[in-house]
């Protein structure tokens, strides 16, 4: 019987000099991020109800922590508060970086 060894590398991303292990596959990150951006992109441009904004912030903060590991938002913001517009921008940047890396890998 032929035996093979499969390698597994934990996907990583470096943000602001900090290295994070992706806590899910790149595919799952892309799907999660796209759905979040689609859900919240229009809400940053109008006066949404306070409850809606807080719910959005909580959900997006949770998404980044789910992708990068617990406490990632706090580490990236250096303990400062993060608004809806900024957290959406962060998700977009993470998505862009993952897509660029995949494209580079695919053309090799």
């Amino acid at each position: 019987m032929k035996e093979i060894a499969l390698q597994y590398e934990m996907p990583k991303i470096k943000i602001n000099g900090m290295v994070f292990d992706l806590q899910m596959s790149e595919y799952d990150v892309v799907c999660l991020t796209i759905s979040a951006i689609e859900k919240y992109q229009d809400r940053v441009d109008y006066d949404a109800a306070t409850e809606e904004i807080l719910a959005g912030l909580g959900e997006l903060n949770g998404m980044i922590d789910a992708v990068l590991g617990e406490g990632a938002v706090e580490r990236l913001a250096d303990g400062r508060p993060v608004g809806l517009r900024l957290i959406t921008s962060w998700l977009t940047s993470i998505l862009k970086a993952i897509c660029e890396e995949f494209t580079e890998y695919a053309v090799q």
Side-chain angles (χ1 to χ4, degrees):
M1 171 184 297
K2 179 79 172 163
E3 182 176 331
I4 63 172
L6 300 177
Q7 295 180 352
Y8 177 80
E9 287 185 20
M10 175 66 82
K12 298 180 185 301
I13 187 167
K14 189 173 191 177
I15 304 172
N16 298 344
M18 293 177 270
V19 177
F20 296 91
D21 291 335
L22 295 181
Q23 303 300 306
M24 55 185 69
S25 72
E26 290 96 333
Y27 174 80
D28 290 335
V29 172
V30 169
C31 291
L32 182 70
T33 304
I34 288 173
S35 70
I37 290 168
E38 288 173 349
K39 183 175 181 179
Y40 291 105
Q41 68 183 355
D42 295 331
R43 297 181 190 189
V44 296
D45 294 326
Y46 74 92
D47 293 329
T50 302
E51 291 175 17
E52 188 176 3
I53 291 171
L54 291 175
L57 278 171
E59 185 176 348
L60 294 173
N61 275 304
M63 285 181 186
I64 289 184
D65 280 351
V67 170
L68 301 178
E70 191 65 35
V73 171
E74 188 174 339
R75 285 179 57 202
L76 290 167
D78 199 25
R80 295 184 299 264
V82 178
L84 189 58
R85 188 178 308 270
L86 183 58
I87 203 86
T88 305
S89 170
W90 287 4
L91 278 170
T92 303
S93 296
I94 291 167
L95 174 63
K96 182 180 176 188
I98 288 172
C99 289
E100 286 173 355
E101 184 170 337
F102 179 76
T103 302
E104 291 170 10
Y105 174 76
V107 297
Q108 290 180 357

